[in-house]
Amino acid sequence: MPRSNGPPAASRPHLRPARTSGGLSPGQLDDLRACFYGLNTVMRLHCTQDEENNFSLAP
């Protein structure tokens, strides 16, 4: 497996609990899934607003 050119995992403390405990707990997975759904919603709203702004500028 090729090595990543990014920083070592030790410098990413937010990943350490999942790695040392053998993975994410079901509660952590639910929280992560909720964050991704929220991010998706925000991005869809942003893109919709951006598209509306582009149409309003058209002659």
Side-chain angles (χ1 to χ4, degrees):
M1 177 177 269
R3 275 185 64 105
S4 169
N5 290 333
S11 68
R12 297 184 225 161
H14 59 283
L15 297 177
R16 195 173 309 131
R19 287 189 175 154
T20 58
S21 68
L24 297 173
S25 71
Q28 288 174 314
L29 286 173
D30 289 342
D31 290 344
L32 184 60
R33 190 175 293 120
C35 288
F36 282 135
Y37 282 132
L39 179 61
N40 181 43
T41 302
V42 169
M43 291 303 299
R44 289 178 64 188
L45 176 63
H46 169 75
C47 291
T48 300
Q49 289 175 337
D50 195 36
E51 191 172 307
E52 287 175 357
N53 288 337
N54 288 339
F55 281 124
S56 69
L57 297 174

